[in-house]
Amino acid sequence: MLAVNTTSVLAKDSQPSVVGQATIASIAPEYAGTLHQKREDAAMKKWRANRIGQFFHFGLYSILGSEYKGKRVEVGEWIQNTQRISKEEYSKLLKQFNPTEFNAAAWAKMNKKMGVNYMTITTKHHDGFCLWPSKHTDFSVENTPYKKDIIGPLVKEYTKLGIDVTLYYSVMDWNHPDYRVRINSPADKQAMERYMKYAIAQLDELLTRYPEAKSIWFDGQWDPAYKSQPEWGWKLEKSVRRKHPNIIINNRVRSDAHANLDRDMSGQHYADFDSSFERKLPSDTSTELPKADWEACYTIMENGWGYSKQLVGHLKDSKELVEASAKCVSRNGNFMINFGPKPDGTIREYELNLAKEIGQWMKVNGNAFYGAEGVPLAKPSWGYITKKKEKRYLILFNKSKETNIQVPFKADNIVKVRVLGAESISIPRTVEDNGMAQFDISKLPQASIAHVIELSLKK
Ligand code: H79
């Protein structure tokens, strides 16, 4: 028998347990995941219906543009860490941060046209630099030549256009004097406890300044010190909820008493949704839909979230991004596309162009995503299926390969078929022996991204 050595963090009324014999639920329940079923309140339903989001990584690292001393790095926002730039050296960037062309209304307008329904902005990334004038630190936009708040205007302009705002907050902090990667002494633990008070105070400050924010997106929860004390993340989550009861929080806020990240050892996610699909999507071989809410986020290059002067390697195009969106929605997930604004506060041409192309597509076909969900059916060879009430959306990416497509719905149940944005094109239907429908799509022209066929089923 293996005794659990974490009794100090067990709930007061629980018994010290035994790994391997006790039920998993009896282990450290106080710090286990709390989301036993999907949240069904109005705020969460809205978050879920949003489906498509924009992510922005903007900060001091944007100035370097993923280059240091003539060398290119793959992941721009990690440059301080990977290039071993000292705090002193890195903080000299404060004197250079001056995004004079930053225009929150222009960002919001771009995103409105792109058809995204929420936006996540890095209020503080791992480097610790704050894009709002925080009263708890000097390491903020207030002490740059720019001086002005970046977050406030974003919250205001996006909210005005009906786009929800999520505040990204990194728990990891390479600047704060009390932050510890590891705890090697009681003094380290005390320092990290002071740091946790700082993080709680900053989140309180953010939610006081920007009460319109709908969600907090935590990140950087994997350092050994933070993981080793699950009550820190638990307190952080509780304090945010106390301040803003409807807030939506991703699962990167915590670990359990066994230092498990994303999910506790019983497989239960922390907080409200699973954000562990970073630069990857779940497999689509299963017909079963995920039980928890989830979100994936994608970079435009293979990797790198902050601005990179050079765009290198495979760059995702609008088709790849719409296809990833379709895949997420068809499995009940949200999808967030990351841009890394330039140090002057503007958005690069390549990203503006993506926003434009995606927006043109969403304007015609967005109904297949917004407020939609997946169906528990095998992924068809030609693309993806989503649904909304009695509507089913067939999103065709691989049209060139097929003239007839199998449609996994009974022909008798289909009362109407139309191609979004091309209503004049008729889709001849036949019925297979098993009663399922087959569509002849040979009259559909090749789409630049994808055609969507909307079916109305009998109620
Ligand atoms: O904010 C973005 C990333 O900076 C952050 N999460 C997204 C949303 C993230 N941090 N860490 N990771 C993602 C994974 C860690 C990767 C690492 Fe590395 C491997 C850190 C050091 C080695 C990648 C490669 C970063 C630097 C080199």
Short mmCIF file of all heavy atoms in Angstrom, two decimals, residues 124-184:
data_model
loop_
_atom_site.label_atom_id
_atom_site.label_comp_id
_atom_site.label_asym_id
_atom_site.label_seq_id
_atom_site.Cartn_x
_atom_site.Cartn_y
_atom_site.Cartn_z
N LYS A 124 -0.74 40.50 -19.41
CA LYS A 124 0.62 40.29 -18.87
C LYS A 124 1.07 38.91 -19.33
O LYS A 124 0.43 37.92 -18.99
CB LYS A 124 0.60 40.35 -17.33
CG LYS A 124 1.99 40.18 -16.72
CD LYS A 124 1.94 39.98 -15.20
CE LYS A 124 1.79 38.51 -14.85
NZ LYS A 124 2.21 38.16 -13.49
N HIS A 125 2.12 38.86 -20.14
CA HIS A 125 2.65 37.55 -20.56
C HIS A 125 3.75 37.13 -19.57
O HIS A 125 3.93 37.75 -18.52
CB HIS A 125 3.15 37.61 -22.02
CG HIS A 125 3.19 36.26 -22.67
ND1 HIS A 125 4.34 35.53 -22.74
CD2 HIS A 125 2.22 35.49 -23.21
CE1 HIS A 125 4.07 34.35 -23.32
NE2 HIS A 125 2.78 34.31 -23.60
N HIS A 126 4.47 36.05 -19.92
CA HIS A 126 5.45 35.49 -18.97
C HIS A 126 6.53 36.51 -18.56
O HIS A 126 7.12 36.39 -17.50
CB HIS A 126 6.16 34.26 -19.56
CG HIS A 126 5.24 33.20 -20.10
ND1 HIS A 126 3.95 33.03 -19.66
CD2 HIS A 126 5.44 32.25 -21.05
CE1 HIS A 126 3.40 32.02 -20.32
NE2 HIS A 126 4.28 31.54 -21.18
N ASP A 127 6.82 37.49 -19.41
CA ASP A 127 7.86 38.49 -19.08
C ASP A 127 7.43 39.44 -17.96
O ASP A 127 8.24 40.20 -17.45
CB ASP A 127 8.31 39.27 -20.33
CG ASP A 127 7.21 40.13 -20.93
OD1 ASP A 127 6.09 40.16 -20.38
OD2 ASP A 127 7.46 40.77 -21.98
N GLY A 128 6.13 39.42 -17.62
CA GLY A 128 5.66 40.23 -16.48
C GLY A 128 5.23 41.64 -16.85
O GLY A 128 4.69 42.37 -16.00
N PHE A 129 5.46 42.06 -18.10
CA PHE A 129 5.13 43.43 -18.51
C PHE A 129 3.61 43.58 -18.63
O PHE A 129 2.95 42.76 -19.27
CB PHE A 129 5.81 43.74 -19.85
CG PHE A 129 5.43 45.08 -20.42
CD1 PHE A 129 5.82 46.26 -19.79
CD2 PHE A 129 4.68 45.16 -21.59
CE1 PHE A 129 5.47 47.50 -20.32
CE2 PHE A 129 4.34 46.39 -22.13
CZ PHE A 129 4.72 47.56 -21.49
N CYS A 130 3.08 44.66 -18.03
CA CYS A 130 1.63 44.86 -17.99
C CYS A 130 1.19 45.91 -19.00
O CYS A 130 1.73 47.03 -19.02
CB CYS A 130 1.21 45.31 -16.59
SG CYS A 130 1.65 44.10 -15.33
N LEU A 131 0.21 45.57 -19.79
CA LEU A 131 -0.31 46.49 -20.81
C LEU A 131 -1.32 47.48 -20.23
O LEU A 131 -1.93 48.24 -20.96
CB LEU A 131 -0.95 45.72 -21.96
CG LEU A 131 -0.02 45.12 -23.02
CD1 LEU A 131 -0.82 44.39 -24.09
CD2 LEU A 131 0.85 46.17 -23.68
N TRP A 132 -1.55 47.40 -18.91
CA TRP A 132 -2.39 48.42 -18.27
C TRP A 132 -1.56 49.05 -17.16
O TRP A 132 -0.60 48.44 -16.67
CB TRP A 132 -3.68 47.79 -17.73
CG TRP A 132 -3.55 47.08 -16.40
CD1 TRP A 132 -3.92 47.57 -15.18
CD2 TRP A 132 -3.00 45.77 -16.14
NE1 TRP A 132 -3.65 46.63 -14.19
CE2 TRP A 132 -3.08 45.53 -14.76
CE3 TRP A 132 -2.43 44.78 -16.96
CZ2 TRP A 132 -2.62 44.34 -14.16
CZ3 TRP A 132 -1.97 43.61 -16.37
CH2 TRP A 132 -2.07 43.40 -14.99
N PRO A 133 -1.89 50.28 -16.76
CA PRO A 133 -1.08 50.95 -15.73
C PRO A 133 -1.38 50.38 -14.35
O PRO A 133 -2.18 50.94 -13.61
CB PRO A 133 -1.51 52.42 -15.85
CG PRO A 133 -2.89 52.37 -16.43
CD PRO A 133 -2.96 51.14 -17.28
N SER A 134 -0.77 49.26 -14.02
CA SER A 134 -1.07 48.58 -12.75
C SER A 134 -0.46 49.33 -11.58
O SER A 134 0.72 49.69 -11.61
CB SER A 134 -0.51 47.16 -12.78
OG SER A 134 -0.70 46.56 -11.52
N LYS A 135 -1.26 49.54 -10.53
CA LYS A 135 -0.71 50.24 -9.36
C LYS A 135 0.19 49.33 -8.53
O LYS A 135 0.82 49.75 -7.59
CB LYS A 135 -1.84 50.83 -8.51
CG LYS A 135 -2.78 49.81 -7.91
CD LYS A 135 -3.92 50.50 -7.17
CE LYS A 135 -4.85 49.43 -6.61
NZ LYS A 135 -6.16 49.89 -6.26
N HIS A 136 0.24 48.04 -8.90
CA HIS A 136 1.03 47.09 -8.11
C HIS A 136 2.44 46.88 -8.64
O HIS A 136 3.20 46.10 -8.07
CB HIS A 136 0.30 45.75 -8.05
CG HIS A 136 -1.08 45.89 -7.50
ND1 HIS A 136 -1.33 46.17 -6.19
CD2 HIS A 136 -2.30 45.83 -8.11
CE1 HIS A 136 -2.65 46.26 -5.99
NE2 HIS A 136 -3.25 46.06 -7.14
N THR A 137 2.79 47.50 -9.75
CA THR A 137 4.14 47.33 -10.31
C THR A 137 4.53 48.54 -11.16
O THR A 137 3.66 49.24 -11.68
CB THR A 137 4.22 46.05 -11.19
OG1 THR A 137 5.56 45.92 -11.69
CG2 THR A 137 3.26 46.09 -12.36
N ASP A 138 5.84 48.74 -11.27
CA ASP A 138 6.34 49.79 -12.19
C ASP A 138 6.56 49.23 -13.58
O ASP A 138 6.86 49.96 -14.51
CB ASP A 138 7.69 50.34 -11.69
CG ASP A 138 7.53 51.11 -10.40
OD1 ASP A 138 6.41 51.63 -10.17
OD2 ASP A 138 8.50 51.18 -9.64
N PHE A 139 6.47 47.88 -13.69
CA PHE A 139 6.80 47.25 -14.97
C PHE A 139 5.55 47.23 -15.85
O PHE A 139 5.02 46.18 -16.20
CB PHE A 139 7.31 45.83 -14.70
CG PHE A 139 8.14 45.25 -15.81
CD1 PHE A 139 9.19 45.97 -16.38
CD2 PHE A 139 7.88 43.97 -16.30
CE1 PHE A 139 9.96 45.42 -17.39
CE2 PHE A 139 8.64 43.41 -17.32
CZ PHE A 139 9.68 44.15 -17.86
N SER A 140 5.11 48.42 -16.22
CA SER A 140 3.87 48.52 -17.00
C SER A 140 4.00 49.59 -18.06
O SER A 140 4.95 50.38 -18.09
CB SER A 140 2.69 48.85 -16.10
OG SER A 140 2.58 50.26 -15.95
N VAL A 141 3.01 49.64 -18.89
CA VAL A 141 2.93 50.59 -20.00
C VAL A 141 3.04 52.04 -19.51
O VAL A 141 3.49 52.91 -20.25
CB VAL A 141 1.60 50.33 -20.76
CG1 VAL A 141 0.40 50.74 -19.95
CG2 VAL A 141 1.60 50.93 -22.14
N GLU A 142 2.68 52.26 -18.25
CA GLU A 142 2.74 53.62 -17.71
C GLU A 142 4.15 54.17 -17.72
O GLU A 142 4.36 55.37 -17.84
CB GLU A 142 2.20 53.59 -16.26
CG GLU A 142 1.84 54.94 -15.73
CD GLU A 142 1.10 54.85 -14.40
OE1 GLU A 142 1.13 53.76 -13.76
OE2 GLU A 142 0.51 55.85 -14.02
N ASN A 143 5.13 53.28 -17.59
CA ASN A 143 6.53 53.72 -17.55
C ASN A 143 7.25 53.53 -18.88
O ASN A 143 8.44 53.25 -18.91
CB ASN A 143 7.26 53.02 -16.41
CG ASN A 143 6.72 53.49 -15.08
OD1 ASN A 143 6.59 54.70 -14.86
ND2 ASN A 143 6.35 52.57 -14.23
N THR A 144 6.50 53.64 -19.95
CA THR A 144 7.08 53.61 -21.30
C THR A 144 6.82 54.97 -21.93
O THR A 144 5.99 55.74 -21.42
CB THR A 144 6.39 52.54 -22.16
OG1 THR A 144 5.03 52.96 -22.40
CG2 THR A 144 6.40 51.17 -21.48
N PRO A 145 7.48 55.27 -23.04
CA PRO A 145 7.19 56.55 -23.70
C PRO A 145 5.71 56.67 -24.09
O PRO A 145 5.17 57.76 -24.17
CB PRO A 145 8.08 56.52 -24.96
CG PRO A 145 9.15 55.53 -24.66
CD PRO A 145 8.58 54.53 -23.69
N TYR A 146 5.06 55.53 -24.31
CA TYR A 146 3.65 55.56 -24.73
C TYR A 146 2.74 55.99 -23.58
O TYR A 146 1.76 56.69 -23.78
CB TYR A 146 3.24 54.17 -25.24
CG TYR A 146 1.86 54.16 -25.87
CD1 TYR A 146 1.62 54.81 -27.08
CD2 TYR A 146 0.79 53.51 -25.25
CE1 TYR A 146 0.35 54.81 -27.65
CE2 TYR A 146 -0.47 53.50 -25.82
CZ TYR A 146 -0.69 54.15 -27.01
OH TYR A 146 -1.94 54.15 -27.58
N LYS A 147 3.07 55.53 -22.38
CA LYS A 147 2.38 55.91 -21.13
C LYS A 147 0.94 55.41 -20.99
O LYS A 147 0.48 55.12 -19.91
CB LYS A 147 2.37 57.44 -20.93
CG LYS A 147 3.71 58.05 -20.63
CD LYS A 147 3.51 59.46 -20.06
CE LYS A 147 4.80 60.10 -19.63
NZ LYS A 147 5.69 60.43 -20.77
N LYS A 148 0.20 55.37 -22.10
CA LYS A 148 -1.26 55.15 -21.99
C LYS A 148 -1.65 53.68 -21.86
O LYS A 148 -0.97 52.79 -22.33
CB LYS A 148 -1.95 55.74 -23.23
CG LYS A 148 -1.90 57.25 -23.30
CD LYS A 148 -2.42 57.78 -24.63
CE LYS A 148 -1.39 57.66 -25.74
NZ LYS A 148 -1.75 58.22 -27.02
N ASP A 149 -2.80 53.49 -21.26
CA ASP A 149 -3.40 52.16 -21.12
C ASP A 149 -3.71 51.57 -22.50
O ASP A 149 -4.24 52.26 -23.37
CB ASP A 149 -4.70 52.33 -20.31
CG ASP A 149 -5.38 51.01 -20.00
OD1 ASP A 149 -4.76 49.96 -20.22
OD2 ASP A 149 -6.54 51.04 -19.52
N ILE A 150 -3.38 50.31 -22.70
CA ILE A 150 -3.73 49.62 -23.95
C ILE A 150 -5.02 48.82 -23.75
O ILE A 150 -5.86 48.72 -24.63
CB ILE A 150 -2.59 48.63 -24.35
CG1 ILE A 150 -1.27 49.37 -24.62
CG2 ILE A 150 -3.00 47.74 -25.53
CD1 ILE A 150 -1.12 49.99 -25.98
N ILE A 151 -5.17 48.23 -22.57
CA ILE A 151 -6.31 47.33 -22.33
C ILE A 151 -7.64 48.08 -22.32
O ILE A 151 -8.62 47.63 -22.94
CB ILE A 151 -6.12 46.55 -21.00
CG1 ILE A 151 -4.77 45.78 -21.00
CG2 ILE A 151 -7.28 45.59 -20.74
CD1 ILE A 151 -4.61 44.78 -22.12
N GLY A 152 -7.68 49.22 -21.63
CA GLY A 152 -8.94 49.98 -21.51
C GLY A 152 -9.58 50.27 -22.87
O GLY A 152 -10.75 49.93 -23.10
N PRO A 153 -8.83 50.89 -23.79
CA PRO A 153 -9.43 51.18 -25.11
C PRO A 153 -9.87 49.92 -25.85
O PRO A 153 -10.89 49.94 -26.54
CB PRO A 153 -8.30 51.90 -25.87
CG PRO A 153 -7.42 52.45 -24.81
CD PRO A 153 -7.50 51.52 -23.64
N LEU A 154 -9.13 48.83 -25.68
CA LEU A 154 -9.54 47.58 -26.35
C LEU A 154 -10.87 47.09 -25.79
O LEU A 154 -11.79 46.76 -26.53
CB LEU A 154 -8.47 46.50 -26.19
CG LEU A 154 -7.20 46.68 -27.03
CD1 LEU A 154 -6.16 45.63 -26.65
CD2 LEU A 154 -7.50 46.60 -28.53
N VAL A 155 -10.97 47.06 -24.45
CA VAL A 155 -12.21 46.60 -23.82
C VAL A 155 -13.37 47.47 -24.31
O VAL A 155 -14.43 46.97 -24.69
CB VAL A 155 -12.09 46.62 -22.28
CG1 VAL A 155 -13.43 46.30 -21.62
CG2 VAL A 155 -11.02 45.63 -21.81
N LYS A 156 -13.14 48.77 -24.34
CA LYS A 156 -14.21 49.69 -24.72
C LYS A 156 -14.63 49.50 -26.19
O LYS A 156 -15.81 49.33 -26.49
CB LYS A 156 -13.69 51.12 -24.51
CG LYS A 156 -14.73 52.17 -24.79
CD LYS A 156 -14.25 53.55 -24.35
CE LYS A 156 -14.93 54.58 -25.25
NZ LYS A 156 -14.03 55.56 -25.80
N GLU A 157 -13.66 49.46 -27.08
CA GLU A 157 -14.00 49.41 -28.52
C GLU A 157 -14.57 48.05 -28.93
O GLU A 157 -15.47 47.99 -29.75
CB GLU A 157 -12.77 49.73 -29.38
CG GLU A 157 -12.22 51.14 -29.16
CD GLU A 157 -13.21 52.24 -29.53
OE1 GLU A 157 -14.13 51.99 -30.32
OE2 GLU A 157 -13.07 53.36 -28.99
N TYR A 158 -14.03 46.97 -28.36
CA TYR A 158 -14.57 45.65 -28.72
C TYR A 158 -15.98 45.47 -28.14
O TYR A 158 -16.87 44.97 -28.81
CB TYR A 158 -13.64 44.53 -28.24
CG TYR A 158 -12.52 44.26 -29.22
CD1 TYR A 158 -11.39 45.06 -29.26
CD2 TYR A 158 -12.60 43.22 -30.15
CE1 TYR A 158 -10.37 44.83 -30.17
CE2 TYR A 158 -11.59 42.99 -31.07
CZ TYR A 158 -10.48 43.79 -31.07
OH TYR A 158 -9.49 43.57 -31.99
N THR A 159 -16.15 45.92 -26.89
CA THR A 159 -17.46 45.76 -26.26
C THR A 159 -18.50 46.56 -27.05
O THR A 159 -19.62 46.09 -27.26
CB THR A 159 -17.39 46.22 -24.79
OG1 THR A 159 -16.36 45.44 -24.14
CG2 THR A 159 -18.70 46.00 -24.05
N LYS A 160 -18.09 47.73 -27.52
CA LYS A 160 -18.99 48.58 -28.31
C LYS A 160 -19.47 47.84 -29.57
O LYS A 160 -20.61 47.98 -29.98
CB LYS A 160 -18.22 49.85 -28.71
CG LYS A 160 -19.09 51.08 -28.90
CD LYS A 160 -18.36 52.16 -29.67
CE LYS A 160 -17.43 53.00 -28.81
NZ LYS A 160 -16.68 53.99 -29.62
N LEU A 161 -18.61 47.06 -30.16
CA LEU A 161 -18.99 46.34 -31.39
C LEU A 161 -19.58 44.95 -31.10
O LEU A 161 -19.79 44.15 -32.01
CB LEU A 161 -17.78 46.18 -32.32
CG LEU A 161 -17.18 47.48 -32.88
CD1 LEU A 161 -16.14 47.17 -33.96
CD2 LEU A 161 -18.25 48.39 -33.45
N GLY A 162 -19.80 44.67 -29.82
CA GLY A 162 -20.43 43.39 -29.48
C GLY A 162 -19.48 42.20 -29.51
O GLY A 162 -19.91 41.06 -29.65
N ILE A 163 -18.18 42.47 -29.41
CA ILE A 163 -17.20 41.37 -29.35
C ILE A 163 -16.75 41.22 -27.90
O ILE A 163 -16.30 42.19 -27.28
CB ILE A 163 -15.99 41.67 -30.28
CG1 ILE A 163 -16.47 41.87 -31.72
CG2 ILE A 163 -14.93 40.57 -30.18
CD1 ILE A 163 -15.38 42.26 -32.71
N ASP A 164 -16.89 40.02 -27.36
CA ASP A 164 -16.54 39.77 -25.95
C ASP A 164 -15.02 39.84 -25.75
O ASP A 164 -14.26 39.42 -26.63
CB ASP A 164 -17.04 38.39 -25.52
CG ASP A 164 -18.55 38.35 -25.39
OD1 ASP A 164 -19.18 39.42 -25.30
OD2 ASP A 164 -19.11 37.24 -25.38
N VAL A 165 -14.62 40.31 -24.59
CA VAL A 165 -13.18 40.42 -24.30
C VAL A 165 -12.77 39.43 -23.21
O VAL A 165 -13.44 39.31 -22.18
CB VAL A 165 -12.81 41.86 -23.86
CG1 VAL A 165 -11.35 41.95 -23.46
CG2 VAL A 165 -13.11 42.85 -24.99
N THR A 166 -11.68 38.72 -23.49
CA THR A 166 -11.05 37.81 -22.53
C THR A 166 -9.70 38.41 -22.16
O THR A 166 -8.96 38.85 -23.04
CB THR A 166 -10.83 36.42 -23.17
OG1 THR A 166 -12.09 35.82 -23.43
CG2 THR A 166 -10.04 35.50 -22.26
N LEU A 167 -9.38 38.40 -20.87
CA LEU A 167 -8.08 38.91 -20.43
C LEU A 167 -7.14 37.73 -20.18
O LEU A 167 -7.41 36.90 -19.31
CB LEU A 167 -8.26 39.75 -19.16
CG LEU A 167 -9.27 40.90 -19.27
CD1 LEU A 167 -9.44 41.59 -17.92
CD2 LEU A 167 -8.87 41.92 -20.33
N TYR A 168 -6.06 37.68 -20.96
CA TYR A 168 -5.01 36.66 -20.76
C TYR A 168 -4.13 37.12 -19.61
O TYR A 168 -3.72 38.28 -19.59
CB TYR A 168 -4.20 36.51 -22.05
CG TYR A 168 -2.93 35.69 -21.92
CD1 TYR A 168 -2.84 34.42 -22.48
CD2 TYR A 168 -1.78 36.20 -21.29
CE1 TYR A 168 -1.67 33.67 -22.40
CE2 TYR A 168 -0.62 35.45 -21.19
CZ TYR A 168 -0.57 34.19 -21.75
OH TYR A 168 0.59 33.46 -21.67
N TYR A 169 -3.81 36.24 -18.68
CA TYR A 169 -2.93 36.59 -17.56
C TYR A 169 -1.99 35.42 -17.29
O TYR A 169 -2.42 34.31 -16.98
CB TYR A 169 -3.77 36.90 -16.31
CG TYR A 169 -2.94 37.42 -15.15
CD1 TYR A 169 -2.69 38.78 -15.01
CD2 TYR A 169 -2.38 36.53 -14.22
CE1 TYR A 169 -1.91 39.26 -13.95
CE2 TYR A 169 -1.61 37.01 -13.16
CZ TYR A 169 -1.38 38.37 -13.04
OH TYR A 169 -0.61 38.84 -12.00
N SER A 170 -0.70 35.69 -17.42
CA SER A 170 0.28 34.64 -17.14
C SER A 170 0.59 34.59 -15.64
O SER A 170 0.95 35.61 -15.05
CB SER A 170 1.57 34.91 -17.91
OG SER A 170 2.59 34.04 -17.45
N VAL A 171 0.47 33.40 -15.08
CA VAL A 171 0.87 33.22 -13.68
C VAL A 171 2.40 33.29 -13.59
O VAL A 171 2.97 33.89 -12.69
CB VAL A 171 0.37 31.85 -13.16
CG1 VAL A 171 0.90 31.58 -11.77
CG2 VAL A 171 -1.15 31.79 -13.18
N MET A 172 3.05 32.66 -14.58
CA MET A 172 4.51 32.71 -14.63
C MET A 172 4.94 34.16 -14.84
O MET A 172 4.32 34.89 -15.60
CB MET A 172 4.96 31.86 -15.82
CG MET A 172 6.45 31.69 -15.95
SD MET A 172 6.83 30.90 -17.52
CE MET A 172 6.42 29.24 -17.19
N ASP A 173 5.99 34.59 -14.13
CA ASP A 173 6.38 36.00 -14.22
C ASP A 173 7.91 36.10 -14.05
O ASP A 173 8.44 35.91 -12.96
CB ASP A 173 5.65 36.80 -13.13
CG ASP A 173 5.77 38.30 -13.30
OD1 ASP A 173 6.90 38.77 -13.53
OD2 ASP A 173 4.74 38.99 -13.19
N TRP A 174 8.59 36.43 -15.14
CA TRP A 174 10.06 36.46 -15.12
C TRP A 174 10.63 37.77 -14.58
O TRP A 174 11.84 37.94 -14.50
CB TRP A 174 10.62 36.25 -16.54
CG TRP A 174 10.21 34.95 -17.16
CD1 TRP A 174 9.98 33.77 -16.51
CD2 TRP A 174 9.97 34.69 -18.56
NE1 TRP A 174 9.63 32.79 -17.41
CE2 TRP A 174 9.61 33.33 -18.67
CE3 TRP A 174 10.04 35.47 -19.71
CZ2 TRP A 174 9.32 32.74 -19.90
CZ3 TRP A 174 9.74 34.88 -20.93
CH2 TRP A 174 9.38 33.53 -21.02
N ASN A 175 9.73 38.72 -14.25
CA ASN A 175 10.21 40.01 -13.78
C ASN A 175 10.01 40.19 -12.28
O ASN A 175 10.84 40.79 -11.61
CB ASN A 175 9.49 41.12 -14.53
CG ASN A 175 9.88 42.49 -14.00
OD1 ASN A 175 11.00 42.95 -14.22
ND2 ASN A 175 8.98 43.13 -13.28
N HIS A 176 8.91 39.67 -11.75
CA HIS A 176 8.58 39.97 -10.36
C HIS A 176 9.62 39.39 -9.40
O HIS A 176 9.95 38.20 -9.48
CB HIS A 176 7.18 39.43 -10.02
CG HIS A 176 6.64 40.04 -8.78
ND1 HIS A 176 7.05 39.66 -7.52
CD2 HIS A 176 5.74 41.04 -8.61
CE1 HIS A 176 6.42 40.41 -6.63
NE2 HIS A 176 5.61 41.25 -7.26
N PRO A 177 10.12 40.22 -8.46
CA PRO A 177 11.20 39.74 -7.58
C PRO A 177 10.80 38.56 -6.69
O PRO A 177 11.66 37.81 -6.25
CB PRO A 177 11.54 40.97 -6.72
CG PRO A 177 10.40 41.92 -6.91
CD PRO A 177 9.80 41.63 -8.24
N ASP A 178 9.50 38.41 -6.43
CA ASP A 178 9.07 37.32 -5.54
C ASP A 178 8.68 36.04 -6.28
O ASP A 178 8.39 35.02 -5.65
CB ASP A 178 7.87 37.78 -4.69
CG ASP A 178 8.29 38.78 -3.63
OD1 ASP A 178 9.44 38.67 -3.14
OD2 ASP A 178 7.49 39.67 -3.32
N TYR A 179 8.63 36.09 -7.60
CA TYR A 179 8.24 34.88 -8.33
C TYR A 179 9.35 33.83 -8.22
O TYR A 179 10.53 34.15 -8.32
CB TYR A 179 7.97 35.20 -9.81
CG TYR A 179 7.51 33.96 -10.56
CD1 TYR A 179 6.19 33.52 -10.46
CD2 TYR A 179 8.41 33.19 -11.30
CE1 TYR A 179 5.78 32.36 -11.08
CE2 TYR A 179 8.00 32.03 -11.93
CZ TYR A 179 6.69 31.62 -11.82
OH TYR A 179 6.28 30.46 -12.43
N ARG A 180 8.97 32.60 -8.00
CA ARG A 180 9.95 31.51 -7.91
C ARG A 180 9.57 30.39 -8.88
O ARG A 180 8.40 30.01 -8.95
CB ARG A 180 9.98 30.91 -6.49
CG ARG A 180 10.49 31.85 -5.42
CD ARG A 180 12.00 32.12 -5.57
NE ARG A 180 12.49 32.99 -4.51
CZ ARG A 180 12.44 34.33 -4.55
NH1 ARG A 180 11.92 34.96 -5.58
NH2 ARG A 180 12.93 35.04 -3.54
N VAL A 181 10.58 29.86 -9.57
CA VAL A 181 10.36 28.70 -10.44
C VAL A 181 10.28 27.45 -9.56
O VAL A 181 9.45 26.57 -9.78
CB VAL A 181 11.52 28.57 -11.45
CG1 VAL A 181 11.40 27.27 -12.25
CG2 VAL A 181 11.54 29.77 -12.39
N ARG A 182 11.17 27.41 -8.57
CA ARG A 182 11.23 26.27 -7.64
C ARG A 182 11.24 26.77 -6.22
O ARG A 182 11.69 27.89 -5.96
CB ARG A 182 12.53 25.49 -7.85
CG ARG A 182 12.49 24.64 -9.06
CD ARG A 182 13.70 23.73 -9.21
NE ARG A 182 13.56 23.09 -10.50
CZ ARG A 182 13.82 23.70 -11.64
NH1 ARG A 182 14.31 24.93 -11.64
NH2 ARG A 182 13.62 23.09 -12.79
N ILE A 183 10.82 25.93 -5.32
CA ILE A 183 10.90 26.29 -3.91
C ILE A 183 11.99 25.44 -3.27
O ILE A 183 11.86 24.22 -3.17
CB ILE A 183 9.55 26.09 -3.22
CG1 ILE A 183 8.58 27.12 -3.81
CG2 ILE A 183 9.66 26.25 -1.71
CD1 ILE A 183 7.19 27.03 -3.33
N ASN A 184 13.08 26.10 -2.89
CA ASN A 184 14.20 25.38 -2.28
C ASN A 184 14.36 25.69 -0.81
O ASN A 184 15.23 25.14 -0.15
CB ASN A 184 15.50 25.71 -3.02
CG ASN A 184 15.48 25.20 -4.46
OD1 ASN A 184 14.94 24.12 -4.72
ND2 ASN A 184 16.00 25.99 -5.38
#
